[in-house]
Amino acid sequence: MDVSNLIRMANRIGEFFEAMPDRDEALHGIAEHIQKFWDPRMRGRLLTALAQAEEVQHLSPIVREALLRHEKMLASVVA
């Protein structure tokens, strides 16, 4: 799957969770949703985007923060 589609989907997830009053809960919710419902290859490609300056700039701040905070959790299930 194209990384721009993954980023767009992740940002939409972020929009949903951003409305939560508890920021830590929202960050965990974003990461947990991606872990539970995304294919390992999709998660791996999204995590790779964190290291790409050209791609990471398209992630919303809340999604970027969630991925960085929960990177180990997301990477541990990527095969």
Side-chain angles (χ1 to χ4, degrees), residues 4 14 18 23 35 47 54 57 63 77:
S4 60
E18 196 164 32
R23 179 93 173 166
Q35 180 190 31
L47 290 174
E54 195 173 292
Q57 68 183 348
V63 171
V77 294

Side-chain angles (χ1 to χ4, degrees), residues 23-24 27 50 60-70:
R23 179 93 173 166
D24 289 333
L27 296 172
L50 286 174
S60 71
I62 194 168
V63 171
R64 189 177 322 121
E65 186 178 350
L67 295 176
L68 289 170
R69 185 177 291 191
H70 298 286

